Each structure stands twice: as structure tokens, then as C-alpha cells.
Amino acid sequence: MGVLRAATTARDGRVTDDDCIGFMFAPHQDTVYQAYLNPLGAIWDRRVGNAKQGHEENWDGRFEAQGGRNEQEWFVEIRVPWKDIGLSQAAKGAELRMNIRRHQKSNVRNAIWVPGWSHDPEYFGIIRCK
């Protein structure tokens, strides 16, 4: 914890210069919603479309985040409104493709839920609503 990097506090600031957690949500094959959060709860996000749509760097979801740390760990919580990631509701049986990445800037290491950090939803894990 002594080498943890966490300085960014501004929305859409340079969160990836800090230790951070990245999320990619894909309710459909043509759009990915991406967010990074640092231990201070700062958020950087964007919408990534297909080749025709392109990246929307100025897109902001109505995400809410909170971060914190203690002597042994750091943590974040994120609230993601369904509508902001292209879903009308979390209906029973609904599927959402997702991937998670922990970026450790302090020691240049990463951990990825589904290996192969890509914007292609085909390579994401699947979350099923019950």
C-alpha cells in the first residue's frame, strides 16, 4: 500500500496514470461502455462503437463511484444505471457481456478477468440476471 498511486480526482482525468480498475460493459455486439476508477473514486469513461460509430471520448455515463483504502487494501464501488449502458432493465435471463481489469501502475502489473483486454465483446465474460 505504500507504493499505491492515486492522485486523479477530476472526472475524465488521467485515471489510468493511477492504480485503477477498468470495466467494459457490452449489452450488444456493436457498443462497449468503458469505465476506469481509481482508489479516490475518480471516473474516466467513454463509449466505444463499431468502426462506423467510432469512439466517443466525451461521453459520460451517470456512473457513481466511491473509493477507499486501509492499511492492507484499496477498493472501489461503482453504480451503473442500466439505461446508461444500453439496457432498459435487468430482466430475468438478460445477459450482459463484461470484462474487468486491475491496472497496477505502481508495479506495472495487470490482472484481467477474461484474458485478452480487447474492445470485442466476443472475448468478454457473460453476466446473467436471475
Side-chain angles (χ1 to χ4, degrees), residues 25-128:
F25 307 102
H28 314 289
Q29 287 291 330
D30 63 347
T31 306
V32 173
Y33 300 87
Q34 186 173 11
Y36 275 93
L37 296 83
N38 72 5
L40 301 174
I43 302 171
W44 172 90
D45 58 355
R46 70 178 177 171
R47 182 169 38 202
V48 179
N50 60 29
K52 190 175 184 180
Q53 297 167 324
H55 297 0
E56 295 178 58
E57 299 292 337
N58 294 325
W59 178 87
D60 283 327
R62 291 176 297 149
F63 304 153
E64 295 176 19
Q66 199 171 24
R69 68 193 226 184
N70 58 38
E71 293 177 9
Q72 298 178 7
E73 62 191 5
W74 67 273
F75 51 89
V76 293
E77 288 183 30
I78 185 171
R79 180 184 166 278
V80 179
W82 289 113
K83 287 183 181 183
D84 283 21
I85 59 169
L87 295 169
S88 59
Q89 62 181 344
K92 185 176 180 176
E95 291 186 352
L96 172 67
R97 290 190 169 268
M98 185 172 103
N99 208 353
I100 304 169
R101 173 186 184 195
R102 178 178 177 198
H103 180 64
Q104 295 175 273
K105 191 71 169 188
S106 56
N107 64 11
V108 193
R109 298 179 73 186
N110 292 295
I112 302 173
W113 177 39
V114 178
W117 192 247
S118 161
H119 289 104
D120 186 345
E122 181 179 334
Y123 300 106
F124 293 7
I126 298 173
I127 305 294
R128 288 188 182 94

Side-chain angles (χ1 to χ4, degrees), residues 6-15 18 38-44 65:
T8 304
T9 57
R11 175 66 183 245
D12 291 328
R14 297 180 60 101
V15 172
D18 295 337
N38 72 5
L40 301 174
I43 302 171
W44 172 90

